[in-house]
Amino acid sequence: MTTHLVWLRNDLRLNDNLALHAACRDSEAKVIALYLATPKQWQQHDMAPRQAAFIHASLQLLAASLAERGIALHYQSCETFGDAVDYLVSFCQQQQVDQLFYNYQYEVNERQRDADAEKRLDQAGVICQGFDDSLLLPPGSVQSGDRSMYKVFTPFSKAFVRRLQQTLPECVPAPKARPGAPLENPAIPPFDYPTDSVDQTLFPPGEAAALKRLRQFATQPVLDYPAERDLPARDGTSRLSVYLATGLLSPRQCLHRVLHEHPDALDNSRAFSWLNELIWREFYRHLLVAYPTLCKHQPFVSWTRHVEWQTDAAHFDAWKAGKTGYPIVDAAMRQLNALGWMHNRLRMITASFLVKDLLIDWRDGERYFMQQLIDGDLAANNGGWQWAASTGTDAAPYFRIFNPTTQGERFDPQGAFIRHYLPELADVPDSDIHQPLLWAAKNHKKLDYPPPIVEHKSARKKTLDAFERAKSAA
């Protein structure tokens, strides 16, 4: 009997798992699965403790689902990717594995790990098969007229949609029960890694919860998304990012579910607004493959290396703690610290404030987000930060700088979101919620809230001057 091994990573699901499906095609093969925790590597990659807790809970649920189908999930903790490859090779020898199946990851360290694993397993006589599972279309398959990677999102999105309109990527079913099913459900030991509590009402772990959330969102909410998406006081986003980041959902499942509910979703309907966010996700992952230096803390726009960032620990600490004196920024940061998640519009506002108002290096903010986010994903997080910092792939010039006060007035006009996370402003009227200290001074009130740590107009000028000097120096 041949033995097929599925090496699970960020693909913790039964449905539409290309590696798992391929491993199970041969009904007579013995199929086993392996998950290798790498806590030291996770620490180097700034994985958030909440994400680790979410992955562990989801992994335990996956182990039970695999056991029901007669597939044993083996688990081992290794310190680093190098240790993981050593263990994988040894495990394949012990289990007499004939073929290894795995889904690609696109970050530099992960690609090097997989290349090392394939080389050593090939020498050991194990056939390795990898799959582009976490994307709708493989990296390099959507290119500009000169056969290079697009550097601006809009033409990439248009070309991407044309490809989808020609041929949709298929979803594959979950594996059927193997001989000997069900097996005893294995207990996954705790990760040797810090964990933090997860709000399971917002982010219930496991594939079943992911599918339930997708089905719910793909009905009416996806149509409401264009009108609701930028209002943090409303539940207008999908909250599916954590499931995509950890592989409890595939983007193909998302695409097909939306098209099932709204067949015209690729033709500029309201539902396309959300599908376009999936294409943003693809764009940033395709970029990682085309430009590996993005994984190495390098800006995409080379001249921005010359920007003279400020090192101000007090300002950075105030930003992290949500004590900048700008209510929408502070409420957003407190949401991040409380939930390990932040509304997308607020990610743009807080990132812009750190880089463009405080002139603090975008990489400091990028790292802090990764250390907090339950949906942390290198490609999306790096892409978003470089967009906000004007160091990345964007057609807009560097002088796009959000005004934090007017952003709050526009997207949280009555201050409902602000008051939820800044209870010290509960008594401030709607009309004054975005500049509460002016109201307090006018009405002789005392608020337990800090004054703005910078004045936006002068900070904006300082940032523009710094970028102009950097561009001249290049």
Side-chain angles (χ1 to χ4, degrees), residues 110-236:
E110 285 79 352
R111 292 175 71 191
Q112 184 60 56
R113 172 203 60 197
D114 293 350
D116 292 344
E118 285 216 7
K119 181 178 179 181
R120 292 179 59 182
L121 289 173
D122 181 64
Q123 294 170 348
V126 178
I127 298 171
C128 299
Q129 295 187 47
F131 301 86
D132 287 298
D133 175 78
S134 67
L135 293 168
L136 292 169
L137 298 175
S141 64
V142 181
Q143 297 183 327
S144 62
D146 63 359
R147 300 200 173 189
S148 64
M149 175 62 197
Y150 284 98
K151 297 180 180 179
V152 177
F153 174 71
T154 300
F156 175 86
S157 176
K158 290 178 179 177
F160 200 96
V161 170
R162 287 195 296 270
R163 285 286 306 275
L164 293 181
Q165 288 170 334
Q166 292 167 5
T167 308
L168 291 175
E170 295 183 2
C171 289
V172 298
K176 296 178 180 178
R178 314 293 295 178
L183 302 176
E184 182 179 349
N185 181 20
I188 306 298
F191 291 154
D192 182 20
Y193 194 80
T195 57
D196 202 349
S197 60
V198 174
D199 186 339
Q200 295 201 7
T201 60
L202 288 175
F203 308 109
E207 181 178 10
L211 290 170
K212 180 180 179 181
R213 177 67 184 167
L214 173 60
R215 292 185 186 114
Q216 175 192 10
F217 180 75
T219 54
Q220 183 61 36
V222 77
L223 299 180
D224 298 334
Y225 180 77
E228 301 279 325
R229 58 176 293 182
D230 284 322
L231 305 175
R234 309 267 185 92
D235 184 21

Side-chain angles (χ1 to χ4, degrees), residues 63-80:
S65 297
L66 288 168
E68 290 175 1
R69 288 160 175 78
I71 301 172
L73 174 59
H74 299 260
Y75 169 86
Q76 180 66 34
S77 182
C78 308
E79 284 293 295
T80 65

Side-chain angles (χ1 to χ4, degrees), residues 84-96:
V85 172
D86 290 342
Y87 182 83
L88 176 65
V89 173
S90 174
F91 181 81
C92 286
Q93 292 172 342
Q94 294 168 7
Q95 298 290 329
Q96 298 182 319

Side-chain angles (χ1 to χ4, degrees), residues 276-287:
N276 204 39
E277 295 302 308
L278 286 183
I279 300 175
W280 270 107
R281 178 179 180 274
E282 299 272 323
F283 180 57
Y284 287 141
R285 290 190 169 218
H286 286 223
L287 279 171

Side-chain angles (χ1 to χ4, degrees), residues 402-466:
F402 288 166
N403 181 316
T405 301
T406 57
Q407 287 283 308
E409 291 169 347
R410 181 178 176 186
F411 298 114
D412 190 31
Q414 281 77 48
F417 176 80
I418 288 171
R419 287 190 183 84
H420 181 78
Y421 285 100
L422 305 181
E424 61 266 39
L425 302 184
D427 295 333
V428 179
D430 292 357
S431 57
D432 298 289
I433 192 67
H434 302 286
Q435 299 188 69
L437 293 183
L438 293 180
W439 169 83
K442 189 186 305 180
N443 291 277
H444 307 290
K445 303 282 187 180
K446 186 173 179 62
L447 289 177
D448 183 22
Y449 187 68
I453 59 175
V454 291
E455 195 271 321
H456 173 69
K457 184 177 179 180
S458 59
R460 182 180 187 277
K461 184 180 185 306
K462 187 175 183 179
T463 295
L464 289 175
D465 290 344

Side-chain angles (χ1 to χ4, degrees), residues 5-9 11 17-20 100-105 113-115 117-118 128-133:
L5 172 63
V6 183
W7 183 12
L8 295 166
R9 293 95 77 86
D11 48 5
N17 185 322
L18 299 186
L20 179 62
L100 173 73
F101 300 80
Y102 71 96
N103 294 315
Y104 295 132
Q105 293 179 287
R113 172 203 60 197
D114 293 350
E118 285 216 7
C128 299
Q129 295 187 47
F131 301 86
D132 287 298
D133 175 78

